[in-house]
Amino acid sequence: MSVLTSEAVVLRTWPVHEADLLVSFFTRDYGRLKGMAKAALKSRKRFGGALEPMTLARAWFAERPRQELVRLDQLEILRSPLSAPVDQTRMAVLSFYAEVIDEALPERDPQETVFRLLASVLEQTSSLKPDTEQPQSSGPQFSGPWMALTYFSLWMTRLMGLLPDIGHCMTCGDSLGAGEVRFNAYADGLFCGVHANGSGSALSADSWQLAQRMLRAPAASFAREAWPRKRGQDLRRFTVQMLERHLERKLKTAEALARLGG
Ligand SMILES: [Zn+2]
């Protein structure tokens, strides 16, 4: 039984038996896995604080013959979400990443691009100040977790193959113009004013332009933009609706974020 190693992000843990933990984790090289971490709650040496959800770690694990669960031997922290101040918004955003990855990706299906997306938004979520009203005079602006959340939701729809061309109306194919872009809960993509079907919501000019920029640039390039929580709210609603429609369930963490005004 050979021991494998990969960078990984811890998604969720469940206690089993006395000190054992069942761990869902997303590895760069082997995809999402479930493993048993024996005596994890007793072994600071093998796991330290690395079992905190959304920790980026190096993982050592082994396949077990005729077993669905791998044996998770050790985690070594590369970046902990606890290294930044923990506030309610940031925790809710981190939980959203965990739920989406856990629900959207099949087990043992390597998705390197999704892994890189997750690592980059984790960095943006944890390294920045939370979204408070920042006075203009306080020097550089920090975009905070709402930017990272917006970027992640948009890119997950793209990487899951759900996001059609956002430059054109899904019905007539005409080029869309800022300010006349609409979406609805029943279909993917965006619509012009004529084909919005009445039931739609508007996607603001800022959000539509933001989406186009985000699909061309890394998350880090938005880090210095001012980002009050309302910014991109309609874009997040558009992408979360698409994710939920395709996953065929409501995301619990999306409700929590909505309660926080996101
Ligand atoms: Zn149209």
Side-chain angles (χ1 to χ4, degrees), residues 53-105:
M54 288 294 116
T55 301
L56 179 67
R58 174 147 293 276
W60 285 266
F61 53 94
E63 298 276 3
R64 305 187 300 175
R66 294 178 305 281
Q67 302 254 8
E68 193 190 322
L69 298 175
V70 301
R71 188 192 72 204
L72 181 57
D73 292 336
Q74 192 176 346
L75 291 171
E76 193 178 286
I77 296 180
L78 298 174
R79 188 186 307 114
S80 168
L82 303 181
S83 63
V86 174
D87 61 66
Q88 214 181 4
T89 299
R90 186 171 276 138
M91 289 310 289
V93 169
L94 294 173
S95 305
F96 178 81
Y97 301 155
E99 186 178 14
V100 170
I101 298 280
D102 219 24
E103 292 294 332
L105 301 188

Side-chain angles (χ1 to χ4, degrees), residues 151-224:
Y151 192 92
F152 175 81
S153 308
L154 177 69
W155 265 101
M156 277 306 288
T157 61
R158 167 55 58 87
L159 295 177
M160 287 168 69
L162 310 179
L163 190 68
D165 168 19
I166 58 168
H168 296 87
C169 172
M170 293 298 288
T171 305
C172 65
D174 281 0
S175 291
L176 295 168
E180 56 141 27
V181 181
R182 304 188 68 81
F183 64 97
N184 68 59
Y186 312 104
D188 295 338
L190 297 171
F191 299 86
C192 71
V194 177
H195 296 111
N197 270 339
S199 59
S201 317
L203 188 67
S204 65
D206 179 50
S207 288
W208 183 59
Q209 282 153 354
L210 203 52
Q212 298 181 74
R213 285 168 57 215
M214 283 184 153
L215 291 171
R216 290 193 302 260
S221 63
F222 298 87
R224 296 273 159 166

